[in-house]
Amino acid sequence: MKYGRVYNFSAGPAMMPEEVLEDIAAEVLNYRGSGMSVMEMSHRSQVYQKILDDAEADLRKLMGIPENYKVLFVQGGGTVQFAMVPMNLMKNGVACYIETGVWSKKAIPEARRYGEVLVPASSADRQYSYIPDCSNLEIPENADYVYLCENETINGISWPSLPDTKGKTLVADQSSMFLSRPCDVSRYGLIWAGVQKNVGPAGMSVVIIREDLLRDDLPQYVPTYLRYKTHADNGSLYNTPNCWAIYCCGKVFRYLLDNGGLEAQAKRNEEKAAVLYDFLDGSEFFRATAEKNSRSLMNVRFVTPSQEEDAAVIAAAKAAGFENLKGHKSVGGLRASIYNAMPKAGVEALADFLRKYEKR
Amino acid sequence: MKYGRVYNFSAGPAMMPEEVLEDIAAEVLNYRGSGMSVMEMSHRSQVYQKILDDAEADLRKLMGIPENYKVLFVQGGGTVQFAMVPMNLMKNGVACYIETGVWSKKAIPEARRYGEVLVPASSADRQYSYIPDCSNLEIPENADYVYLCENETINGISWPSLPDTKGKTLVADQSSMFLSRPCDVSRYGLIWAGVQKNVGPAGMSVVIIREDLLRDDLPQYVPTYLRYKTHADNGSLYNTPNCWAIYCCGKVFRYLLDNGGLEAQAKRNEEKAAVLYDFLDGSEFFRATAEKNSRSLMNVRFVTPSQEEDAAVIAAAKAAGFENLKGHKSVGGLRASIYNAMPKAGVEALADFLRKYEKR
């Protein structure tokens, strides 16, 4: 790769498109004749307002976001959203969370601070290696919403289709699959995504929320910042936002539009993932852990016959220039995160390396 | 200025040192041979851990932060801290807020969500143009803390000396004067500063908190993210932080250390502010609005005889390349924010421009 860059398989923060980084580097000292870095600009200036407006407009175009949805750029990632979702959406004080791995599981105790949480389906029985059948969930009449994590980064599983929420509002954490494929936003009440996996630098979430879910009548203890309405009413400028992240993400939105949109990106992602899964399925040494119909195209988790062998492969891969292949500490094994910005050549090189390693 | 850069008098986000920006630009595509941008790095990687550790160590050195204080890098700025402070520090449910302008005033209703707020002193009577006498405040025995905003960006006033808190914990919002002069941290229980004014890009606050103020026994409704202890127990890595802001701020901390530390910076700031205040004091057209003993060295607010003249000066200044001299919409007039990174030449050029404008 150019500039001595490496294939970085980190689960997040993760790779960004090289063209986008080149563009950013060229603008650090003076953004398009403004005489300032984007980092130095008043968030109330015309030049910055255009950056923000363009980012939102491009994201709307990319995802086809209906007009009755607001797009919010909110500081913080999952930990903040785990609280904001129940604080803002629990009206009856009951919600259903589908437990499919570390990230959906982590959201549950935070939601329990604010109401009752039911878990109508879980894949804990087989180490979160699959998405459970959600065609006929037990969802109480007074449930405020059904929550899921659409791609579990750590176990490498992803929802093949959305659950039947029995008419209840669907809330999805899309952090690690955001913009990886077309998305019918109208099926969701709220989508949130920490941007540091598939879009830009850490420090922000994109929230897409249907307008009727914006509420004024929240409990007094909900801080101003943690009210979605605060951000919606002020075009994400109630306070100084993470201006830099919005700028960088805006460039990625534009990059995706210029490269065929989400249909084309989904095709590239399918091809990339197939390179790796096809190799793993044919291997006698490596094994993909996710069940076939739930495999993530973003995070490919796999193992060797032993933890010792896992560690040996990770070390050899690192020495060969493949960074961050170690699985999450909670599950071990190996994991190749191959988000939008990972070039196909990077996945092919990794598959090649693993093939040779196995032969040896 | 180099690179076609302008003198940017924005109240924040604001100028950063040119050398720091040059350094950042050079590292966007590959940070010191890591093969990655800092924006692409796992926050759990060794290379990133060193960036974080160095930033904290340099800040500790710069401010002489005692060992019994934790340094936290928390996402969000003032709006988040306005809630975090009372949520974490109100044990008896009573706090005293000194009202000296827009920012201290904004903190009060947010604190009232969580307990009783008393206002033992205010400078509202003269449009927040001075810091009130705080040598003998009425502070109840059960007050959890005394809160102040050490530099009011909008009205351009700053505390000449700290109040007598009668032994109660002092909490300071230092956002717009952070690192502008030496600071005896031991006099405070908690200091917080949004970094986008005097340090780096928006999207983060530095929190310096005395360890005994870190509590486990908070009300259930306090989100995990808004507990100082969450960040303190995990070295600011409970979740993915604003990695980019930490990196940029770390470079500014290092830059300040390399340029004589806070003593030298304070001297430079005094000299810069004197250039402008001396001119204003001698002018018959312009007038500084802050009372002399409360003048901010960071935000110099001034007016002409009329709003029409104010607007004319702002327009002429912009045409001459002096950006963002318009006062905050809530108070009008003009304001020159001359933070650490504003070169003395910029202030001299502005004073020169205003002198010529007045003659004409």
Side-chain angles (χ1 to χ4, degrees):
Chain A
M1 287 177 76
K2 276 201 284 184
Y3 312 106
R5 287 168 56 75
V6 294
Y7 293 124
N8 170 14
F9 295 91
S10 168
M15 287 183 84
M16 291 170 63
E18 200 164 275
E19 292 96 313
V20 167
L21 291 174
E22 286 173 328
D23 211 14
I24 291 169
E27 293 174 348
V28 166
L29 279 137
N30 187 342
Y31 174 77
R32 301 187 183 177
S34 65
M36 307 172 199
S37 176
V38 172
M39 292 187 269
E40 302 174 299
M41 271 176 199
S42 169
H43 56 299
R44 308 275 176 209
S45 63
Q46 280 181 352
V47 56
Y48 190 74
Q49 185 69 53
K50 182 162 162 51
I51 291 172
L52 177 63
D53 290 345
D54 286 352
E56 179 177 338
D58 285 345
L59 180 62
R60 284 186 173 275
K61 196 169 167 191
L62 201 50
M63 294 184 76
I65 300 173
E67 274 189 18
N68 63 324
Y69 285 73
K70 292 279 189 188
V71 172
L72 316 177
F73 299 110
V74 183
Q75 291 181 61
T79 313
V80 170
Q81 290 308 313
F82 292 163
M84 275 182 93
V85 166
M87 277 178 150
N88 284 270
L89 302 190
M90 273 192 179
K91 210 167 171 173
N92 301 326
V94 183
C96 294
Y97 279 61
I98 318 291
E99 191 189 68
T100 54
V102 171
W103 294 107
S104 47
K105 207 174 156 186
K106 256 198 150 170
I108 294 172
E110 196 70 4
R112 287 202 167 122
R113 295 184 183 281
Y114 311 103
E116 190 187 352
V117 173
L118 306 167
V119 180
S122 166
S123 57
D125 59 340
R126 294 202 300 277
Q127 292 86 48
Y128 305 116
S129 60
Y130 70 104
I131 300 294
D133 175 14
C134 293
S135 58
N136 188 20
L137 297 171
E138 238 179 87
I139 298 173
E141 205 29 66
N142 64 343
D144 289 307
Y145 59 90
V146 176
Y147 180 103
L148 57 84
C149 173
E150 205 160 338
N151 184 82
E152 288 277 4
T153 324
I154 289 174
N155 294 76
I157 59 171
S158 193
W159 287 69
S161 62
L162 295 176
D164 180 353
T165 64
K166 308 277 173 82
K168 302 301 175 196
T169 299
L170 177 63
V171 175
D173 165 6
Q174 285 200 348
S175 301
S176 52
M177 52 69 76
F178 192 56
L179 305 182
S180 69
R181 62 186 185 214
C183 169
D184 180 357
V185 174
S186 70
R187 297 191 61 188
Y188 304 78
L190 188 152
I191 293 169
W192 71 264
V195 298
Q196 77 276 15
K197 293 176 184 289
N198 220 359
V199 195
M204 188 172 82
S205 295
V206 172
V207 176
I208 302 168
I209 182 170
R210 213 176 53 225
E211 284 172 352
D212 62 281
L213 295 173
L214 296 166
R215 289 168 58 202
D216 266 329
D217 60 333
L218 301 181
Q220 175 175 323
Y221 64 71
V222 181
T224 303
Y225 195 83
L226 298 193
R227 295 165 180 246
Y228 289 124
K229 202 162 184 308
T230 299
H231 303 278
D233 287 351
N234 295 280
S236 298
L237 284 176
Y238 173 79
N239 66 327
T240 320
N242 185 334
C243 299
W244 180 256
I246 293 172
Y247 157 75
C248 295
C249 290
K251 285 202 183 286
V252 174
F253 301 155
R254 170 50 47 192
Y255 174 85
L256 290 170
L257 283 173
D258 289 345
N259 285 276
L262 298 187
E263 297 271 1
Q265 186 59 51
K267 198 163 164 288
R268 288 193 291 272
N269 288 335
E270 282 160 20
E271 285 171 9
K272 282 191 295 179
V275 170
L276 209 46
Y277 282 120
D278 285 352
F279 161 72
L280 293 169
D281 288 343
S283 167
E284 287 174 13
F285 181 69
F286 296 105
R287 184 177 59 80
T289 56
E291 298 185 14
K292 280 196 176 173
N293 70 345
S294 306
R295 282 175 171 179
S296 167
L297 303 190
M298 299 284 104
N299 313 97
V300 180
R301 185 169 177 264
F302 56 104
V303 293
T304 69
S306 76
Q307 287 181 13
E308 292 68 33
E309 299 269 19
D310 288 349
V313 181
I314 292 160
K318 191 178 165 70
F322 301 98
E323 290 282 344
N324 291 311
L325 281 171
K326 196 174 170 183
H328 190 266
K329 59 181 185 247
S330 62
V331 294
L334 292 95
R335 175 178 51 172
S337 293
I338 51 174
Y339 295 117
N340 282 357
M342 169 62 70
K344 190 174 180 189
V347 185
E348 288 170 338
L350 175 63
D352 232 46
F353 169 84
L354 296 173
R355 192 173 292 116
K356 282 177 190 151
Y357 187 94
E358 181 172 1
K359 277 199 184 135
R360 219 167 41 195
Chain B
M1 285 177 78
K2 276 200 284 185
Y3 312 107
R5 287 168 56 75
V6 294
Y7 294 125
N8 169 14
F9 295 92
S10 168
M15 288 184 81
M16 291 171 63
E18 199 165 275
E19 291 97 313
V20 167
L21 291 174
E22 286 174 329
D23 210 15
I24 290 169
E27 292 174 350
V28 166
L29 279 138
N30 187 342
Y31 174 77
R32 301 188 184 177
S34 65
M36 305 173 201
S37 177
V38 172
M39 292 187 268
E40 302 174 301
M41 271 177 198
S42 168
H43 57 298
R44 309 276 176 210
S45 63
Q46 279 182 352
V47 58
Y48 191 75
Q49 185 69 53
K50 180 161 163 50
I51 290 172
L52 177 64
D53 290 346
D54 286 352
E56 178 177 338
D58 285 345
L59 180 62
R60 285 187 172 276
K61 196 169 168 192
L62 201 50
M63 296 185 73
I65 299 172
E67 274 190 20
N68 62 325
Y69 284 73
K70 291 279 189 188
V71 172
L72 316 177
F73 299 110
V74 183
Q75 291 182 61
T79 313
V80 171
Q81 290 308 312
F82 291 163
M84 276 183 91
V85 165
M87 276 178 150
N88 283 271
L89 302 190
M90 273 193 180
K91 209 167 172 173
N92 302 326
V94 183
C96 295
Y97 278 61
I98 318 291
E99 191 190 65
T100 54
V102 171
W103 295 107
S104 46
K105 209 173 155 185
K106 255 197 151 171
I108 294 172
E110 197 69 4
R112 287 203 167 122
R113 295 185 184 282
Y114 311 103
E116 190 186 353
V117 173
L118 306 168
V119 181
S122 166
S123 57
D125 59 342
R126 294 202 299 277
Q127 291 84 48
Y128 305 117
S129 61
Y130 70 104
I131 299 295
D133 175 15
C134 294
S135 58
N136 189 18
L137 297 170
E138 237 177 87
I139 298 173
E141 205 29 66
N142 64 344
D144 289 309
Y145 60 90
V146 176
Y147 180 102
L148 57 84
C149 173
E150 205 160 337
N151 184 82
E152 288 277 4
T153 322
I154 290 174
N155 294 75
I157 60 171
S158 193
W159 287 70
S161 62
L162 295 176
D164 180 353
T165 64
K166 309 278 174 81
K168 301 299 174 197
T169 298
L170 178 62
V171 175
D173 165 6
Q174 286 200 346
S175 301
S176 54
M177 51 69 75
F178 192 56
L179 305 182
S180 69
R181 62 187 186 214
C183 170
D184 180 356
V185 175
S186 70
R187 297 193 58 189
Y188 303 78
L190 186 154
I191 293 168
W192 71 264
V195 298
Q196 77 275 16
K197 293 175 184 290
N198 220 358
V199 195
M204 188 173 82
S205 296
V206 173
V207 176
I208 303 168
I209 182 170
R210 214 175 53 222
E211 283 172 353
D212 61 283
L213 296 172
L214 296 165
R215 288 168 57 201
D216 266 330
D217 61 333
L218 300 181
Q220 177 176 321
Y221 64 70
V222 181
T224 303
Y225 195 82
L226 297 194
R227 296 166 179 245
Y228 289 124
K229 203 163 184 305
T230 299
H231 304 277
D233 287 352
N234 294 281
S236 298
L237 284 175
Y238 173 78
N239 66 325
T240 319
N242 185 333
C243 299
W244 180 257
I246 293 172
Y247 157 74
C248 295
C249 290
K251 285 204 184 285
V252 175
F253 301 155
R254 171 48 51 191
Y255 174 85
L256 290 170
L257 283 172
D258 289 346
N259 284 276
L262 298 187
E263 297 271 1
Q265 186 58 50
K267 198 161 164 290
R268 288 193 291 273
N269 289 335
E270 283 160 21
E271 285 171 8
K272 282 192 293 180
V275 169
L276 209 46
Y277 282 120
D278 286 352
F279 161 71
L280 293 169
D281 289 343
S283 167
E284 287 174 14
F285 181 69
F286 296 105
R287 183 177 59 80
T289 56
E291 298 185 13
K292 280 197 175 173
N293 70 345
S294 305
R295 284 176 168 178
S296 167
L297 302 189
M298 300 283 103
N299 312 96
V300 180
R301 186 171 176 262
F302 56 104
V303 292
T304 69
S306 75
Q307 286 180 15
E308 292 68 33
E309 299 270 20
D310 288 349
V313 180
I314 292 159
K318 192 178 163 71
F322 301 98
E323 291 280 346
N324 292 310
L325 280 172
K326 196 175 170 181
H328 191 267
K329 57 179 187 249
S330 62
V331 295
L334 292 96
R335 176 177 50 173
S337 293
I338 52 173
Y339 296 117
N340 281 356
M342 170 62 70
K344 191 176 180 189
V347 186
E348 287 170 339
L350 175 63
D352 232 44
F353 169 83
L354 297 174
R355 193 173 292 118
K356 283 177 189 151
Y357 188 94
E358 181 172 0
K359 277 199 184 137
R360 220 170 36 198

